[in-house]
């Protein structure tokens, strides 16, 4: 007998819907986080917009989502502070419900400093925000997701999870550490219905790298490092995150999706050599 369990209707669209889900996007008052929050809200999730210092932008974003048929609320706090992270999750529990999707996006790249001539306080700060922060948030999310029996955690790493970056040992180490955290946590929680994945952006136009794309000389140099002839847009990352958050990615866990326009395919070799 023919197996018709996989019968589909063609031309009816593909389901990236996140309706009924509650998502926390850390650092969503600017850059990638803001775009990710918009996309996830467009897919139907209720979004917890999180900010550190830019309360006004966070409130404006929530206002935009709420007045266009979506649902969002604003939560503030420092992700490198465990007590503040716990308080954020408790407030989300009360106002929205238990988090189903966590996007660990908040991060800084820090100052360019060479090891030995650097200030260890700067190193510690980058590690605290980029590695401890995602751990504190994931820890709170996992407690809740284990109870509900499902969940997705998406960690925003970077191509510097793979590529060394002189002057940024803290950033590269934090992102490589976050990658291994992703894999190890995925292994721990795979039987609880929780997926843990990473997205590694290449060079995406946001405030974090304005000093590079804002200067014609450094911008030209940056383009030589990307196989495609452009920097990434925030939507390039938001689309990948929305896919990974959805059930279309239900068999993907413990891995990194690189979204870099081909930075990691050695564009310097494009013309031979
Ligand atoms: P951004 O500066 O616009 O956003 C960073 C966000 O992190 C801001 O909302 C900021 O408020 C928040 N944040 C900083 N310190 C915090 C703290 N202590 N507690 C809570 N939130 C804090 O930059 P972006 O480019 O949107 O970066 C977002 C993420 O993407 C970062 O993790 C970054 O490392 C990563 N990333 C960006 C690029 C890129 O090219 N833009 C490339 C690779 C990875």
């Amino acid at each position: 007998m023919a197996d018709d369990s996989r019968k589909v209707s063609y031309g009816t669209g593909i389901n990236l819907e996140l309706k009924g889900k509650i998502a926390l996007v850390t650092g969503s008052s600017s850059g990638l986080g803001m775009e990710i929050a918009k996309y996830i809200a467009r897919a139907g999730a209720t979004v917890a917009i999180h900010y550190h210092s830019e309360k006004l932008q966070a409130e404006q974003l929530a206002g935009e989502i709420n007045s266009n048929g979506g649902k969002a609320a604003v939560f503030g706090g420092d992700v490198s502070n465990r007590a503040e992270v716990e308080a954020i999750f408790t407030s989300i529990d009360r106002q929205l419900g238990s988090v189903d999707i966590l996007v660990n996006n908040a991060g800084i790249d820090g100052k360019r400093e060479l090891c030995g001539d650097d200030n260890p306080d700067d190193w510690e700060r980058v590690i605290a925000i980029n590695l401890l922060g995602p751990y504190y948030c994931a820890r709170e999310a996992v407690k809740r997701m284990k109870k509900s029996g499902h969940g997705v955690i998406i960690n925003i790493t970077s191509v510097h999870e793979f590529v060394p970056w002189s002057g940024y040992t803290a950033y590269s180490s934090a992102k490589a550490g976050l990658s291994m955290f992703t894999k190890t946590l995925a292994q721990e929680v795979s039987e609880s219905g929780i997926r843990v994945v990473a997205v590694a952006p290449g060079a995406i136009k946001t405030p974090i790298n304005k000093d590079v794309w804002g200067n014609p000389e450094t911008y030209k140099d940056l383009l030589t490092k990307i196989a495609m002839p452009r920097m990434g847009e925030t939507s390039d990352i938001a689309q990948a995150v929305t896919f990974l958050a959805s059930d279309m990615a239900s068999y993907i866990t413990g891995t990194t999706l690189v979204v870099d326009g081909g930075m990691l395919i050695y564009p310097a070799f494009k013309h031979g050599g």
Side-chain angles (χ1 to χ4, degrees), residues 30 100 119 126-127 138 216 242:
S30 81
D100 305 294
N119 178 346
V126 171
I127 297 289
T242 307

Side-chain angles (χ1 to χ4, degrees), residues 77-91:
D78 182 342
V79 296
S80 69
N81 181 314
R82 184 147 51 100
E84 289 190 28
V85 168
E86 287 168 5
I88 292 168
F89 274 82
T90 307
S91 304

Side-chain angles (χ1 to χ4, degrees), residues 31-266:
L32 296 182
M34 181 178 273
E35 194 74 358
I36 292 167
K38 286 183 189 175
Y39 265 77
I40 285 186
R42 278 170 57 186
T46 296
V47 185
I49 309 288
H50 161 264
Y51 69 93
H52 179 229
S53 49
E54 302 154 328
K55 189 175 184 193
L56 187 64
Q57 284 98 313
E59 285 174 346
Q60 279 169 348
L61 173 61
E64 184 187 321
I65 292 172
N66 285 323
S67 58
N68 285 292
K71 198 168 168 216
V74 168
F75 303 85
D78 182 342
V79 296
S80 69
N81 181 314
R82 184 147 51 100
E84 289 190 28
V85 168
E86 287 168 5
I88 292 168
F89 274 82
T90 307
S91 304
I92 297 174
D93 285 340
R94 257 192 251 118
Q95 282 189 56
L96 304 177
S98 181
V99 165
D100 305 294
I101 298 164
L102 164 66
V103 184
N104 270 320
N105 164 79
I108 59 169
D109 53 7
K111 290 184 205 150
R112 179 171 155 73
E113 290 175 311
L114 298 179
C115 190
D117 299 327
D118 57 344
N119 178 346
D121 292 342
D122 296 337
W123 220 91
E124 287 170 17
R125 185 85 189 122
V126 171
I127 297 289
I129 295 171
N130 293 5
L131 187 55
L132 287 177
Y135 157 65
Y136 294 150
C137 292
R139 192 170 173 273
E140 291 308 306
V142 160
K143 286 187 217 170
R144 288 157 174 83
M145 290 172 180
K146 276 188 173 167
K147 278 189 195 149
S148 62
H150 67 262
V152 186
I153 297 173
I154 300 168
N155 295 318
I156 305 299
T157 59
S158 161
V159 286
H160 297 297
E161 150 184 347
F162 308 101
V163 181
W165 191 18
S166 170
Y168 293 90
T169 53
Y171 184 79
S172 310
S173 303
K175 295 299 190 181
L178 186 53
S179 164
M180 185 49 83
F181 177 65
T182 302
K183 295 181 215 174
T184 308
L185 182 61
Q187 199 183 57
E188 276 185 20
V189 299
S190 58
E191 283 167 26
S192 305
I194 306 169
R195 295 187 292 112
V196 190
V197 287
V199 170
I204 318 294
K205 222 176 206 175
T206 73
I208 211 172
N209 45 24
K210 189 161 190 272
D211 54 333
V212 178
W213 55 262
N215 171 333
E217 224 164 88
T218 50
Y219 181 57
K220 199 171 153 205
D221 177 64
L222 173 67
L223 290 181
T224 67
K225 299 185 171 81
I226 310 171
M228 289 183 178
R230 68 170 177 93
M231 272 188 93
E233 301 292 337
T234 52
S235 57
D236 292 317
I237 303 304
Q239 287 164 21
V241 169
T242 307
F243 160 68
L244 287 172
S246 79
D247 285 345
M248 285 198 65
S250 60
Y251 203 52
I252 302 177
T253 196
T255 191
T256 296
L257 176 58
V258 177
V259 186
D260 70 344
M263 260 188 153
L264 295 188
I265 53 173
Y266 302 100

